[in-house]
Amino acid sequence: MSFSIKSVAVILGLAAFALAQALPLDARAQDAEALLNAKCSSCHKPLADGGIHRINEARKTPEGWFMTLFRMTNIHGVKLTSDETRTLVTYLSNTQGLAPAETEGYRYVLERTPGAIDGAPNENLGAMCGRCHTFARVALQRRDTDDWRKLVHFHLGQYPTTEYQALGRDRDWFGLASDNMATELGRTQPLDTPDWATWKDRAPTDLSGIWIVVGRQPGKGAYDGSMQVTASGDDTYDAILAIQFADGQTAEHKGTAIVYTGHEWRASKLGPDGPVRQVLGASEDGGMLTGRWFLRDNDVIGGSMKAVRVAGAEPQILAVNPPYIKQGGSVQVTIIGLGMDGEPQLGAGVTVKNIIAQTSEKIVAEIEAAADAAVGPRGVSAGEANAPDSFVVYDKVDRVAVLPETTIARVGDGGGPIASVPAQFEAMGFMAGPDGEGGTDDDIAIGVMPATWSTSNFDATAEMLKDTEFAGTIDQGGLFSPGIAGPNPARPMSTNNAGNLNVVATVDDDGNPVEGAAHLFVTVQRYIDPPIR
């Protein structure tokens, strides 16, 4: 069967979130090798070592391998069933994936983190690779120099106008790409690495058990809870995530997960707002999962997530919410951790007035800060559990940063087939650092703070076009909803509802309003949305 664009837009679709497979790993690997030879060797010649040309000369994430299979089916006519696709993605990810250390710094593109700033190691790689897609898409692959060069050739074969586009016309694009860039990528991202040599033959870690979970969903705030993970196969699991927000709201995400390459957790669950995806990475010892979950059909809406397995974990504090108190103020805090068997301690000048509830994993307490409590970050402890620099005492809010500082929203709906893409913002408060001046490099982050929200036109052109009137609206949770797609007769030349806006947050610091702003581009629909953008 062939795949539609929609199957790509929901990330890995059936391939990434497989149900348990009954065969043991070694039998499944043999079946996968036979399938690989049957489906691929008619076009890809065998290698002397028994591998297959091009296929065995690259390593990728599960999303990367799915994109390869998508291209083979849609462009080259390879016929694959959903089960065959699942089998091949799993096999290729396990045998030719990336070690945990090789994905560091670029996981934001897998997790679809809104507003993440993509960057290449240098200007040349940015110009060559980062102008059409994220550099992270390149960074999450490993090839030798010869195969990087073949990838350059593929780009020109697939997209013949590449060297005539922006940042290509003013240079010897092909010469630089096929020589300098292929050589550099072969050196910095080679096929064979010590990390992969150490990782590839490790036995998979069983991730079943009870996990303590903390995280934050922008627009709703910090949450905590637990995840019950039950093995359903060698690398597949049933998982139930139950979380609670500070305002008492609860949510449950229930579904299945598969772990690729021994550490790449991908789950498909059903939550209160619809289907949910989890993209997490397991630590090398299998004791921690970190990443992000998001709505399958609206990946802007979601939350960061950190989970620690209870069994075998050392005493530790995972989160303090809220993570700050003002001099002379009082607040109710929730401390989440493991092995918290003693009374909570928040440093000199901060007193625990009343413990509302306490277990070894969760403490709810009323605390008070003296008017002269030392300002700045400090540690929190409870028995042997502790977390350095996890709590801040501040004197005043000197600056507010709206996060993400620059991002996009996309018009949509309006009777068309593509939904709009919102933008979610939060207000981060800062206090002046040691230099005593707000807005400098040594400012100290206080934490995400309640704010009132508004928009304004970014520049004179936006003012003339009345972008705030047409581009969309923002609610008091910081969620910007863009206008509908299509021509708008009420605008000059009946242009669409795109716009160039400031998103303004105002934090009330005991009667002193402190403003911050972010830059929002409201733009057109994304018509093709691959798993790795």
Side-chain angles (χ1 to χ4, degrees):
M1 78 176 201
S2 64
F3 294 94
S4 67
I5 289 176
K6 182 178 180 181
S7 69
V8 177
V10 297
I11 305 179
L12 292 182
L14 294 172
F17 305 105
L19 296 174
Q21 298 181 56
L23 292 175
L25 284 174
D26 55 350
R28 284 162 47 194
Q30 292 174 9
D31 285 353
E33 288 179 5
L35 179 63
L36 194 68
N37 283 312
K39 295 292 184 178
C40 307
S41 60
S42 59
C43 294
H44 294 265
K45 67 180 181 181
L47 296 172
D49 61 3
I52 300 177
H53 182 59
R54 297 306 306 278
I55 297 172
N56 288 98
E57 295 171 331
R59 294 191 287 112
K60 307 176 187 181
T61 62
E63 289 84 354
W65 283 118
F66 179 76
M67 291 170 69
T68 297
L69 294 177
F70 176 83
R71 190 174 69 250
M72 294 299 110
T73 57
N74 265 30
I75 297 177
H76 300 293
V78 176
K79 303 299 182 183
L80 290 173
T81 67
S82 297
D83 286 342
E84 288 172 338
T85 300
R86 283 196 294 269
T87 297
L88 290 177
V89 168
T90 301
Y91 176 73
L92 291 168
S93 300
N94 290 343
T95 59
Q96 292 165 232
L98 299 182
E102 293 179 309
T103 68
E104 290 179 4
Y106 295 101
R107 296 194 65 84
Y108 56 84
V109 76
L110 302 176
E111 297 166 7
R112 301 207 157 197
T113 303
I117 303 300
D118 182 66
N122 57 57
E123 184 179 353
N124 285 332
L125 285 172
M128 287 291 172
C129 309
R131 63 192 174 96
C132 296
H133 50 68
T134 60
F135 182 78
R137 183 162 160 174
V138 181
L140 292 173
Q141 300 180 46
R142 297 294 184 274
R143 306 166 185 265
D144 61 22
T145 298
D146 186 54
D147 206 63
W148 282 115
R149 186 171 293 111
K150 290 172 183 174
L151 187 65
V152 173
H153 296 167
F154 158 78
H155 274 64
L156 279 183
Q158 193 74 49
Y159 310 106
T161 63
T162 298
E163 61 182 324
Y164 302 113
Q165 296 175 12
L167 302 179
R169 293 185 297 255
D170 61 341
R171 64 196 71 195
D172 175 18
W173 187 92
F174 182 73
L176 290 170
S178 60
D179 187 3
N180 302 45
M181 295 299 98
T183 300
E184 182 169 356
L185 289 170
R187 177 179 59 81
T188 60
Q189 293 169 241
L191 181 64
D192 299 315
T193 68
D195 286 325
W196 180 244
T198 301
W199 182 261
K200 65 184 178 69
D201 294 324
R202 287 175 52 133
T205 300
D206 182 4
L207 298 182
S208 58
I210 302 297
W211 299 70
I212 297 298
V213 175
V214 296
R216 180 172 193 86
Q217 181 179 351
K220 294 192 69 172
Y223 66 82
D224 62 86
S226 64
M227 185 166 68
Q228 180 177 327
V229 177
T230 306
S232 56
D234 291 313
D235 52 11
T236 56
Y237 299 88
D238 296 319
I240 301 174
L241 171 67
I243 58 177
Q244 178 173 321
F245 294 88
D247 64 1
Q249 293 187 61
T250 61
E252 182 178 86
H253 301 165
K254 183 177 182 180
T256 60
I258 182 169
V259 178
Y260 299 100
T261 332
H263 68 99
E264 292 286 6
W265 171 283
R266 303 291 186 270
S268 179
K269 300 184 178 183
L270 184 63
D273 299 317
V276 172
R277 302 300 196 205
Q278 279 183 349
V279 179
L280 308 174
S283 60
E284 293 195 7
D285 64 3
M288 182 180 296
L289 291 166
T290 55
R292 186 169 178 266
W293 60 266
F294 47 86
L295 298 184
R296 184 196 67 186
D297 299 323
N298 187 353
D299 55 48
V300 171
I301 307 301
S304 61
M305 178 172 161
K306 178 179 181 179
V308 175
R309 184 159 45 180
V310 174
E314 297 292 329
Q316 57 191 288
I317 289 175
L318 301 177
V320 183
N321 298 311
Y324 54 80
I325 190 171
K326 190 171 186 178
Q327 282 180 330
S330 62
V331 70
Q332 179 177 300
V333 297
T334 300
I335 305 171
I336 308 299
L338 292 162
M340 301 189 300
D341 296 328
E343 183 174 331
Q345 304 291 329
L346 295 98
V350 177
T351 305
V352 176
K353 303 299 291 183
N354 179 37
I355 295 180
I356 300 170
Q358 179 167 2
T359 68
S360 63
E361 296 170 355
K362 188 170 185 176
I363 300 172
V364 181
E366 295 282 351
I367 65 172
E368 183 177 81
D372 61 351
V375 300
R378 55 178 62 202
V380 176
S381 65
E384 295 183 7
N386 66 85
D389 296 338
S390 57
F391 192 72
V392 174
V393 176
Y394 72 99
D395 53 356
K396 65 175 181 175
V397 179
D398 290 288
R399 176 170 66 90
V400 169
V402 177
L403 304 177
E405 295 182 345
T406 303
T407 193
I408 63 172
R410 295 181 183 274
V411 297
D413 302 309
I418 301 177
S420 62
V421 177
Q424 177 68 61
F425 296 92
E426 292 190 300
M428 175 71 74
F430 287 83
M431 61 183 291
D435 66 3
E437 297 182 15
T440 58
D441 291 341
D442 69 348
D443 284 0
I444 297 170
I446 300 169
V448 174
M449 312 188 90
T452 56
W453 294 92
S454 61
T455 61
S456 64
N457 292 307
F458 183 79
D459 55 19
T461 301
E463 185 77 28
M464 178 189 69
L465 294 174
K466 300 180 180 180
D467 284 353
T468 56
E469 182 178 339
F470 296 105
T473 58
I474 193 165
D475 67 18
Q476 290 311 301
L479 180 66
F480 179 87
S481 299
I484 63 172
N488 186 342
R491 304 200 77 180
M493 297 180 289
S494 294
T495 189
N496 61 30
N497 286 317
N500 192 7
L501 302 175
N502 294 307
V503 172
V504 181
T506 304
V507 171
D508 181 7
D509 184 26
D510 288 341
N512 177 39
V514 185
E515 283 191 358
H519 192 182
L520 173 64
F521 297 96
V522 183
T523 187
V524 297
Q525 301 102 310
R526 184 194 295 273
Y527 293 96
I528 298 176
D529 195 9
I532 304 179
R533 291 169 173 161

